[in-house]
Amino acid sequence: MSVLDRFLPVWIGVAMIVGLLAGRFAPGLNTALNSLHVTSGVSLPIFVGLLVMMYPVLAKVRYDRLDTVTSDKRLLVSSLLLNWIAGPAVMFALAWTFLPDLPEYRTGLIIVGLARCIAMVIVWNDLACGDREAAAVLVALNSVFQVLAFAGLGWFYLAALPGWLGLNTAGLDVSAWSIAQSVLIFLGIPLVAGYLSRRVGERARGRSWYENRFLPKVGPFTLYGLLFTIVVLFALQGEAITSNPWDVVRIALPLLIYFAAMWAGSFALGKGIGLGYERSTTLAFTAAGNNFELAIAVAIATFGVTSGQALAGVVGPLIEVPVLVALVYVSLAARKRFTPEPTTLQRP
């Protein structure tokens, strides 16, 4: 293992601290970063970081094996139920349990629960030696459902269900096109780049060259992109986070429970239905992760950049990043509880 791999939790911690301090104490940095956009609501620095982070992983995917994933109904059905039934419901329950007196933060957390992960989860899955092909399929499936279901679920969990229960309601103004735009930019571009790299590389130089020469050269850029994304993300929101420490703690507690419960429940479900280690890991990380960029963009567009809803969205990655990094190591330690699979798993 390289030094970067061996001390990954340390580098991630340093990146978070650097980002927070830069956002807090570097005058004008937040404004400068916020002024750079691919399109409305899509940050250019975060897009660049996610592209560099996701491309090497998606270039490793064996696209000729995707049919083995799409034929696995246990995996697909379980993922859809966990992401679009269990995840939003769990976050709704936790938000109302822990933040009954803070409606802005509560609404922000519910929005985070609706934004299913389509980007960073690919990296966590790869670090935990999950099934790359399964991750690509599940993330693509989540992307389709995100475009179709996000606005409807937002209405259900923020207006309809609270109204039926006699609770306070809130509105959500978001178009299907804005969600589709986010999906196409953050997932579509790196996915197409990864697919074309494999097709063109294998056709021009052969699979042996592609997997033994090309992939080892681009592989380290995943972690470089991850660290860059964390620094930028935390720099963008460093002042908001450090100015409201007690509010951050209030928001962080339900998020911590959410990520741990969703991952553990999904991992146990995968083992229980006989998926094996690789696909159980993929199921767990795709169910536990959230699309922080979409959640923040929706909260800002609907409620304003200084709103409590936006702050709740910002705290999401503050908790998700260290928790899911820790769960990578928990997952690797749990491999011995599974029957060995035909392929040999390698620690990243």
Side-chain angles (χ1 to χ4, degrees):
M1 294 175 65
S2 68
V3 173
L4 182 62
D5 293 328
R6 191 178 303 117
F7 296 103
L8 179 60
V10 175
W11 308 136
I12 288 177
V14 170
M16 292 170 64
I17 293 171
V18 168
L20 286 173
L21 293 178
R24 177 68 177 179
F25 298 109
L29 178 61
N30 183 284
T31 302
L33 291 174
N34 271 318
S35 67
L36 301 173
H37 289 93
V38 178
T39 184
S40 178
V42 178
S43 167
L44 176 60
I46 291 180
F47 164 68
V48 171
L50 290 177
L51 177 61
V52 174
M53 177 184 75
M54 293 170 62
Y55 166 71
V57 179
L58 291 170
K60 294 175 184 177
V61 171
R62 292 284 298 273
Y63 292 93
D64 55 345
R65 293 180 179 172
L66 295 185
D67 60 330
T68 65
V69 180
T70 56
S71 63
D72 190 341
K73 300 299 187 293
R74 296 171 303 168
L75 176 65
L76 298 182
V77 172
S78 297
S79 179
L80 287 175
L81 291 175
L82 287 166
N83 276 284
W84 298 103
I85 303 297
V90 169
M91 188 67 90
F92 176 85
L94 288 171
W96 274 98
T97 299
F98 286 91
L99 302 170
D101 57 327
L102 297 170
E104 290 190 355
Y105 297 154
R106 184 177 65 239
T107 298
L109 281 188
I110 293 172
I111 293 173
V112 170
L114 297 177
R116 312 313 299 168
C117 196
I118 61 169
M120 201 170 283
V121 67
I122 291 175
V123 176
W124 306 137
N125 176 73
D126 206 55
L127 291 173
C129 299
D131 188 317
R132 289 189 186 117
E133 289 69 36
V137 169
L138 295 186
V139 164
L141 193 63
N142 273 344
S143 300
V144 173
F145 270 79
Q146 196 147 254
V147 174
L148 298 176
F150 186 92
L153 286 173
W155 166 81
F156 178 77
Y157 281 106
L158 293 175
L161 183 57
W164 298 341
L165 298 175
L167 305 172
N168 295 330
T169 62
L172 187 63
D173 182 19
V174 58
S175 69
W177 167 241
S178 65
I179 298 171
Q181 184 175 254
S182 174
V183 168
L184 289 172
I185 291 173
F186 288 119
L187 176 64
I189 292 175
L191 182 60
V192 169
Y195 174 77
L196 290 178
S197 291
R198 180 170 281 278
R199 289 298 299 269
V200 173
E202 287 188 355
R203 188 168 294 179
R205 304 292 296 272
R207 177 163 291 180
S208 177
W209 173 87
Y210 182 82
E211 295 193 342
N212 298 319
R213 300 287 297 277
F214 177 74
L215 289 182
K217 290 182 179 179
V218 300
F221 284 92
T222 289
L223 299 185
Y224 303 150
L226 172 63
L227 296 176
F228 174 80
T229 302
I230 291 171
V231 170
V232 171
L233 181 67
F234 282 68
L236 279 166
Q237 307 299 338
E239 185 174 357
I241 293 172
T242 55
S243 298
N244 303 276
W246 176 240
D247 289 349
V248 169
V249 171
R250 290 285 306 272
I251 298 168
L253 184 56
L255 281 169
L256 181 62
I257 296 172
Y258 171 83
F259 292 128
M262 286 298 297
W263 185 91
S266 303
F267 193 78
L269 175 62
K271 188 176 190 305
I273 62 177
L275 287 181
Y277 173 78
E278 287 184 308
R279 290 191 176 177
S280 294
T281 297
T282 302
L283 182 67
F285 280 101
T286 52
N290 290 87
N291 186 349
F292 56 82
E293 176 66 16
L294 175 61
I296 295 170
V298 169
I300 290 175
T302 305
F303 303 103
V305 68
T306 60
S307 65
Q309 291 88 341
L311 178 61
V314 167
V315 177
L318 176 72
I319 306 304
E320 178 178 347
V321 169
V323 170
L324 293 191
V325 168
L327 289 174
V328 166
Y329 290 91
V330 173
S331 183
L332 291 169
R335 280 189 298 182
K336 59 176 180 263
R337 297 183 179 275
F338 287 79
T339 302
E341 296 177 87
T343 55
T344 302
L345 300 180
Q346 297 294 330
R347 182 183 291 270

